[in-house]
Amino acid sequence: MAAPKVAVVGAGVIGLSTALCITETCPSCSVTVLSDQFSPNTTSDVAAGMLIPHTYPGTPIHVQKQWFKETFTYLFAISNSAEASEAGIHLVSGWQVFKNIPKEELPFWSDVVLGFRPMSEAELQKFPQHRFGQAFMTLKCDCPPYLLWLEKRLKATGVQMYTRKVADLWELHSEYNVVVNCAGIGAQQLVGDKKLFPVRGQVLKVHAPWVKNFIRDGDGLTYIYPGIHRVTLGGTREKESWSLSPDPGTTKDIFDRCCSLEPSLRGAQDIKVKVGLRPSRQSVRLQREILSQGGVKLPVVHNYGHGAGGFSMHRGTAKEAARLVGECIAALQGSSSRAKL
Amino acid sequence: MRVAIIGAGVIGLSTALCIHEQYHSLVPSLEMEVYADRYTPRTTSDGAAGLWQPYLSDHGNLQETLWNKETFDYLLGHLGSAAAKEMGLFLISGYNLFTQRVPDPSWRNIVLGFRNLTPKELELFPGYSYGWFNTALMLECRRYLPWLTNRLTQRGVKFFQKKVESFQEMFAQGVDVVINCTGVRAGELQPDPELQPGRGQVIKVLAPWVKHFIITHDIESGIYNSPYVIPGSEFTVLGGIYQHGNWNEENSAQDHKTIWENCCRLLPALQKAKIVEEWSGLRPARPWVRLERETVRHGQFQAEVIHNYGHGGFGITIHWGCAMAAARLFGSILQEKKLASPPQPRL
């Protein structure tokens, strides 16, 4: 087949990075990104973009580790290049503190991040309510810069991007050979996946440029992540809540929790409140599917359901999705050459 | 009892505050004045990035290591307070990089979380084969000096814009004790061949994505003659110049080139940073800090000078320990003059 036409649905970190991987593995493909939202209005734009993985109960650990390692290595190289500031990628060090000793002392990603070690007694003194902690250095992907950088790279390779609300993947069957579903939380409606559910997160983005280290409570609910211009304070994990409206009571609660971890935040200025719906699932849906109607087939590659781990896993899952797209195209070329016989 | 502090950099203002805090209630007649020809933001302290970090070796000078520790612990104690932001005080982590293995520094147990760099981390810095990572403190003098000034003003300390030409000038006015915190220009008040300028130049840029300090070391070139990058609350300071004996406070184009090229090689992302300011200053370098009393004959009277200068490139790092030591010297002066009760139990 001449340039295979691939449509990527979704323009968050997963959609854009998947589109980019497809252009890398299949240079002859014509890739188009379709989404009803682009940066700065995607779920990714709300996220702090910290590379601290979320563990998926339904995915083997060695697979998650591979995805994380690929993502970390890819971003590490960018952070060390002249493009770092444009791409919004930077290294940040800090502490994860626990009120109760965690079950597993060494998370699966401890040897991927840098300098992972238990906190010393002197370091823990800064956190009187916490009994145990881990210090390490990881990467942060500031969004929107990262998405804008991905968009710029996509445009440079000739990828077209259109604002379009896709109501049904099948509507694309006549224009495209392969469809990649990176619709995030939108996949619930788009493909009717009942295993996908939102986990609402509210965050504050504040001006506090003296905060140079991250602090995260091991319970995952309270965190302070310094970005390039703003510090993200979080958060909440509200399962099955679809509300995108900021809640003032929650804002105060987040601010108080973060100030108890880092008192200097009381002086933070210009507090902006954001809400995102993590597209959560027991495991990331990363698989091929063939849709067919009336003898016509449409290969689909799903890459959604990253929940709280989108940034941490994006490059690894994007590469796998691109590989699956390659398989779809090979299958199409195989069957079309068979049809020619 | 009139006390005059000469010099309004970090040493002068902190010594003033330390003495006033400890003695004003014990000495009701205490009147304190500060004299300086340069105030913040035009002091040497204002140009410094503000990173707490002593030199690599204390050359056996345990006293200075103790003063450094006292300063670190004092500042650490203030971290959680409401004043921290106004003081320009915050935690910061970062790297020290070497081209060869070196012994641990005198301050390894003073800072937080001191460790060696892992091989993967060293990959970030080609050319450097060894290094440390630790968490230390930043104290930005552009905020700290105004904060000290406010505390002193609230306490009724008076400030004078004046270049003092001699200690005698102060005593003739009726000052009883002079605290000499004149930094690099102390030699103008009393010749001191040990005191030399250690000229430095820095470029201030906007690079808010840099969250760690990076100090490189070249054992041959000596301290601060190797590139460093120190992110502050507003700007990132790029430096790496130390010229012993150079009194020139003008920016040098050659030094600019050296700093810029070396720092961009160290951190390629800096190439996109916007340059905001350039500054040169003279570190008051001395083999060791001069912190001692001197009794000066003034007619038939004895007047006292407490010298507190010569802190080189570690003034912010050592300031509070020295201020406390100067305050103890002041206390002994008071005792001799029988102006204060016996010494309070103090550290």
Side-chain angles (χ1 to χ4, degrees), chain A residues 205-219:
Chain A
K205 304 229 177 188
V206 309
H207 183 72
W210 61 88
V211 175
K212 306 287 187 193
N213 295 99
F214 73 79
I215 305 171
R216 175 180 203 268
D217 191 309
D219 67 12

Side-chain angles (χ1 to χ4, degrees), chain A:
Chain A
M1 140 196 330
K5 298 206 284 282
V6 181
V8 174
V9 178
V13 68
I14 302 301
L16 297 184
S17 58
T18 302
L20 192 62
C21 279
I22 296 169
T23 65
E24 289 166 12
T25 57
C26 180
S28 62
C29 283
S30 158
V31 181
T32 306
V33 174
L34 305 170
S35 183
D36 62 350
Q37 301 292 353
F38 282 81
S39 179
N41 298 314
T42 70
T43 305
S44 303
D45 289 285
V46 179
M50 285 293 285
L51 257 67
I52 298 177
H54 163 85
T55 304
Y56 303 105
T59 305
I61 292 292
H62 75 272
V63 173
Q64 298 186 50
K65 187 163 177 178
Q66 179 60 23
W67 290 342
F68 181 56
K69 204 161 169 198
E70 272 175 349
T71 307
F72 196 93
T73 304
Y74 173 71
L75 295 175
F76 188 68
I78 299 171
S79 79
N80 198 26
S81 76
E83 300 212 52
S85 58
E86 195 196 336
I89 313 288
H90 55 103
L91 284 168
V92 60
S93 59
W95 307 282
Q96 176 165 244
V97 290
F98 298 84
K99 289 187 171 142
N100 303 300
I101 314 275
K103 281 187 309 245
E104 41 150 44
E105 280 210 19
L106 277 186
F108 75 79
W109 42 268
S110 64
D111 59 347
V112 178
V113 298
L114 304 173
F116 186 96
R117 59 169 174 85
M119 281 166 75
S120 63
E121 281 302 313
E123 289 174 302
L124 276 166
Q125 277 180 18
K126 193 167 133 42
F127 306 102
Q129 295 172 332
H130 295 78
R131 294 163 52 200
F132 176 77
Q134 297 151 342
F136 57 93
M137 187 183 303
T138 187
L139 290 156
K140 187 179 187 299
C141 255
D142 270 36
C143 212
Y146 186 55
L147 292 199
L148 293 177
W149 181 80
L150 285 172
E151 283 181 27
K152 190 171 161 190
R153 294 194 59 184
L154 287 168
K155 284 181 188 152
T157 65
V159 171
Q160 303 282 320
M161 290 184 271
Y162 299 108
T163 302
R164 173 174 167 176
K165 178 146 178 79
V166 175
D168 186 325
L169 293 182
W170 187 254
E171 72 187 59
L172 303 173
H173 79 273
S174 54
E175 305 161 65
Y176 300 96
N177 305 113
V178 182
V179 170
V180 188
N181 172 16
C182 303
I185 194 63
Q188 222 215 41
Q189 215 184 29
L190 186 57
V191 298
D193 183 348
K194 299 214 171 46
K195 296 186 198 163
L196 180 70
F197 56 95
V199 174
R200 181 184 183 279
Q202 183 163 321
V203 293
L204 315 183
K205 304 229 177 188
V206 309
H207 183 72
W210 61 88
V211 175
K212 306 287 187 193
N213 295 99
F214 73 79
I215 305 171
R216 175 180 203 268
D217 191 309
D219 67 12
L221 280 175
T222 306
Y223 50 83
I224 297 162
Y225 295 142
I228 293 175
H229 297 292
R230 299 196 148 252
V231 182
T232 300
L233 309 184
T236 65
R237 292 194 170 188
E238 299 154 278
K239 273 177 95 164
E240 304 287 3
S241 167
W242 285 92
S243 168
L244 281 169
S245 309
D247 175 72
T250 302
T251 295
K252 182 178 187 311
D253 178 56
I254 292 170
F255 191 69
D256 288 342
R257 282 189 273 126
C258 288
C259 287
S260 76
L261 277 183
E262 177 52 68
S264 72
L265 282 170
R266 289 269 165 217
Q269 303 279 308
D270 191 30
I271 297 174
K272 294 191 172 30
V273 190
K274 305 265 177 210
V275 178
L277 307 178
R278 300 175 185 84
S280 307
R281 219 173 169 275
Q282 288 287 305
S283 59
V284 176
R285 188 175 181 201
L286 186 41
Q287 63 189 186
R288 287 167 61 185
E289 187 186 357
I290 313 267
L291 302 181
S292 65
Q293 270 189 39
V296 182
K297 294 192 200 300
L298 175 64
V300 170
V301 172
H302 297 286
N303 186 11
Y304 69 85
H306 299 69
F311 278 87
S312 299
M313 305 300 197
H314 76 274
R315 176 78 180 178
T317 53
K319 282 181 76 167
E320 174 62 12
R323 196 187 66 75
L324 294 174
V325 168
E327 280 183 9
C328 293
I329 292 170
L332 283 172
Q333 285 170 332
S335 62
S336 74
S337 59
R338 276 198 295 279
K340 285 192 179 82
L341 286 171

Side-chain angles (χ1 to χ4, degrees), chain B residues 67-341:
Chain B
W67 288 336
N68 288 332
K69 177 172 163 47
E70 210 175 335
T71 306
F72 191 87
D73 291 343
Y74 168 76
L75 293 173
L76 198 63
H78 274 75
L79 255 192
S81 76
K85 183 191 171 191
E86 215 193 315
M87 285 165 80
L89 176 67
F90 54 93
L91 277 175
I92 188 168
S93 307
Y95 313 84
N96 276 274
L97 301 172
F98 304 88
T99 53
Q100 64 198 65
R101 236 192 117 90
V102 294
D104 287 348
S106 60
W107 40 270
R108 99 181 279 308
N109 293 325
I110 302 175
V111 295
L112 301 175
F114 184 95
R115 65 172 173 83
N116 287 342
L117 288 175
T118 60
K120 199 154 135 202
E121 291 173 299
L122 283 164
E123 273 174 42
L124 278 169
F125 308 110
Y128 295 96
S129 55
Y130 188 78
W132 310 322
F133 191 82
N134 63 267
T135 300
L137 293 164
M138 281 284 282
L139 184 63
E140 296 183 310
C141 278
R142 294 262 178 121
R143 288 186 216 276
Y144 188 49
L145 298 196
W147 183 83
L148 287 169
T149 307
N150 287 341
R151 302 281 81 69
L152 290 165
T153 306
Q154 278 169 8
R155 290 171 157 274
V157 172
K158 302 268 180 295
F159 289 83
F160 298 92
Q161 171 92 38
K162 187 180 193 296
K163 184 173 162 74
V164 172
E165 304 289 354
S166 68
F167 296 132
Q168 296 300 339
E169 182 192 325
M170 295 280 95
F171 300 135
Q173 271 181 235
V175 170
D176 300 293
V177 181
V178 166
I179 324 272
N180 176 20
C181 304
T182 49
V184 75
R185 289 178 289 145
E188 291 178 28
L189 286 175
Q190 189 186 89
D192 181 351
E194 312 257 47
L195 179 69
Q196 290 289 314
R199 183 183 174 280
Q201 185 165 321
V202 294
I203 306 173
K204 283 200 199 162
V205 303
L206 283 176
W209 60 88
V210 178
K211 304 292 181 190
H212 301 107
F213 63 81
I214 307 170
I215 320 275
T216 66
H217 301 267
D218 178 346
I219 307 296
E220 257 111 81
S221 345
I223 191 86
Y224 298 131
N225 253 333
S226 192
Y228 63 79
V229 177
I230 302 176
S233 61
E234 278 178 273
F235 309 111
T236 298
V237 176
L238 312 183
I241 300 289
Y242 188 104
Q243 294 151 351
H244 202 76
N246 186 349
W247 283 98
N248 194 347
E249 285 181 83
E250 300 287 309
N251 293 321
S252 139
Q254 176 58 54
D255 289 339
H256 170 96
K257 190 164 182 292
T258 303
I259 297 167
W260 184 255
E261 286 176 3
N262 288 343
C263 288
C264 285
R265 191 178 316 121
L266 184 61
L267 257 196
L270 284 174
Q271 291 164 49
K272 301 284 172 73
K274 180 166 168 228
I275 295 175
V276 167
E277 206 184 305
E278 193 122 7
W279 181 87
S280 300
L282 309 175
R283 300 175 185 89
R286 208 174 182 275
W288 56 87
V289 174
R290 186 177 184 199
L291 183 34
E292 61 190 7
R293 266 176 72 178
E294 186 184 352
T295 306
V296 172
R297 293 260 164 289
H298 170 63
Q300 51 178 269
F301 300 108
Q302 264 181 223
E304 298 289 334
V305 178
I306 297 175
H307 298 285
N308 187 6
Y309 69 85
H311 306 81
F314 52 90
I316 289 162
T317 298
I318 204 172
H319 83 277
W320 193 253
C322 289
M324 294 287 280
R328 285 191 290 276
L329 291 174
F330 185 76
S332 64
I333 294 173
L334 290 179
Q335 256 209 291
E336 284 163 25
K337 291 184 193 282
K338 304 211 178 355
L339 278 173
S341 27

